[in-house]
Amino acid sequence: MNTKKDNRTNSTGMEQLAVGIDIGGTGTKYGIVDRVGNLLFSGEMSTRNHSEVMPYIEELYQNIAPLIEQAGGAGRIKGIGIGAPNGNFYKNTIEYAANLPWKGIIPFGKMVEDIFKLPVVLTNDANAAALGEMMYGAAKDMNDFIMITLGTGVGSGIVANGKLIYGHDGFAGELGHNIIIPDGRYHEGTGKRGSLESYASATGVRLSAIEFLEKSDKPSLLRDIPTDKIDSKKVYEAAIEGDDLAKEIFDYTGKILGMALANFVMFSSPEAIVLFGGLTKAGDFILKPTREHMEANLVEVFQNKVKILVSHLKESDAAILGASALVWEMK
């Protein structure tokens, strides 16, 4: 993490701060961050307490306003950065987010700006994570990298020439929805088949485990677990115990992820791919096959050039840091 003092201050000479808000399908995390990534104040609340968006924003304000006062008042706050599913950077909107309670196109940034009386910038959660990694984490000072978040789903942010790629409509970088296995596993959220997210997410590992158990007679600790209780954590715990079937599940997941990463490398020639999220806790069970299959599927000119890194950021803070990083990009 960079600890160099940034001299940009507010009119009173105090160092400016940023508010970071990460909106997840279940919970919302928020905090106040300085320019070098120190999380000074933080908290969280449920995303799902309100079926209408305005009461949610009002609760958000009631929770964050006291933190702003503790940090020295609104005069110290340069702005508010928000990472949200289907967040549109160009329009400051959240659009058709399947896992949020509020449907359609929501002018979320404008609504937050109106109640907080502070500048607001918004993007999707994976893009925010990429910015956080570039400013505070493993991709610090890199101009070309891809951030892949391996959680319940697969998110991504692509940085090229030092800039996030947003595309013409603000939705570029949905690498999790790339089709890796033609006519493959059905994805309930999108109705498509064979996407990376269907295989390389925590949800995908669970589905692979169920398939492997059905198709194989091999003994496994996973057979002692009711099907509806199997998840990626249980697969990891079995692998740690030496369970061969659990290791095969991670090998299969890493193979598909590695194939996908090879495609992404040949698209933007990044210096590194940074992996973040709960699935990375499986360590070499997933990282080793991922590296092997990425290299095996690269043409020679790209081979042995691209690092696969695991995020340096503390998982509980990373979402807030990523959202806050948006603020320092403001003009």
Side-chain angles (χ1 to χ4, degrees):
M1 183 179 291
N2 181 21
T3 55
K4 182 179 177 183
K5 174 78 172 174
D6 191 298
N7 293 321
R8 282 171 283 186
T9 58
N10 66 7
S11 58
T12 66
M14 298 175 77
E15 187 179 18
Q16 288 188 306
L17 305 172
V19 174
I21 301 172
D22 175 74
I23 302 171
T26 304
T28 296
K29 296 179 178 180
Y30 49 83
I32 298 178
V33 181
D34 67 15
R35 284 186 182 271
V36 294
N38 295 310
L39 185 58
L40 307 178
F41 303 94
S42 64
E44 56 186 291
M45 58 181 262
S46 172
T47 305
R48 310 199 74 84
N49 281 348
H50 305 287
S51 57
E52 299 295 324
V53 69
M54 198 61 217
Y56 166 84
I57 292 173
E58 288 167 351
E59 184 183 347
L60 198 60
Y61 178 77
Q62 289 162 9
N63 288 337
I64 295 175
L67 302 186
I68 291 174
E69 287 308 306
Q70 288 180 59
R76 287 196 72 185
I77 306 298
K78 178 175 171 64
I80 298 172
I82 300 171
N86 287 34
N88 188 316
F89 175 75
Y90 293 138
K91 298 178 181 178
N92 253 7
T93 52
I94 296 174
E95 304 188 14
Y96 307 107
N99 60 344
L100 294 180
W102 328 297
K103 304 308 176 188
I105 299 175
I106 302 163
F108 195 88
K110 176 70 165 57
M111 295 170 79
V112 171
E113 204 165 84
D114 287 346
I115 195 167
F116 279 84
K117 311 301 182 192
L118 287 165
V120 172
V121 61
L122 178 151
T123 190
N124 81 43
D125 39 3
N127 280 343
L131 276 177
E133 208 63 51
M134 183 165 62
M135 184 159 287
Y136 309 121
K140 186 160 177 21
D141 299 325
M142 286 186 193
N143 287 322
D144 298 271
F145 71 96
I146 297 173
M147 176 84 177
I148 305 282
T149 61
L150 302 172
T152 307
V154 175
S156 59
I158 304 166
V159 173
N161 301 324
K163 299 289 183 186
L164 264 170
I165 295 177
Y166 286 108
H168 81 282
D169 59 355
F171 290 112
E174 285 291 351
L175 299 180
H177 295 306
N178 272 234
I179 304 304
I180 303 302
I181 308 292
D183 299 317
R185 186 178 289 163
Y186 181 74
H187 187 289
E188 288 187 6
T190 63
K192 309 301 180 188
R193 288 192 174 273
S195 67
L196 177 61
E197 183 167 285
S198 299
Y199 295 91
S201 61
T203 307
V205 170
R206 177 182 177 275
L207 293 172
S208 293
I210 293 167
E211 287 179 10
F212 273 58
L213 288 166
E214 288 175 352
K215 292 177 181 177
S216 167
D217 294 328
K218 186 176 286 190
S220 172
L221 296 169
L222 297 171
R223 297 193 186 279
D224 299 330
I225 303 169
T227 301
D228 62 345
K229 301 295 184 187
I230 291 174
D231 58 20
S232 59
K233 185 169 183 283
K234 296 284 197 308
V235 178
Y236 170 66
E237 289 168 351
I240 286 286
E241 293 293 323
D243 189 288
D244 287 340
L245 192 69
K247 291 177 185 176
E248 286 178 24
I249 293 162
F250 279 122
D251 284 345
Y252 178 66
T253 305
K255 176 181 178 180
I256 292 173
L257 180 57
M259 288 165 52
L261 296 188
N263 288 338
F264 305 158
V265 165
M266 292 184 285
F267 157 68
S268 67
S269 193
E271 180 179 344
I273 293 172
V274 182
L275 302 179
F276 175 81
L279 215 51
T280 63
K281 291 175 182 168
D284 276 345
F285 288 125
I286 192 166
L287 295 177
K288 189 170 181 286
T290 297
R291 288 190 180 98
E292 288 173 356
H293 287 281
M294 183 184 83
E295 292 295 341
N297 285 282
L298 287 171
V299 297
E300 190 173 4
V301 72
F302 292 104
Q303 287 176 351
N304 302 310
K305 287 182 177 178
V306 181
K307 295 173 284 205
I308 295 180
L309 305 174
V310 175
S311 172
H312 295 172
L313 299 180
K314 184 180 174 186
E315 190 169 352
S316 59
D317 299 344
I320 299 169
L321 292 175
S324 74
L326 288 162
V327 173
W328 310 122
E329 298 287 307
M330 283 178 170
K331 300 297 182 192

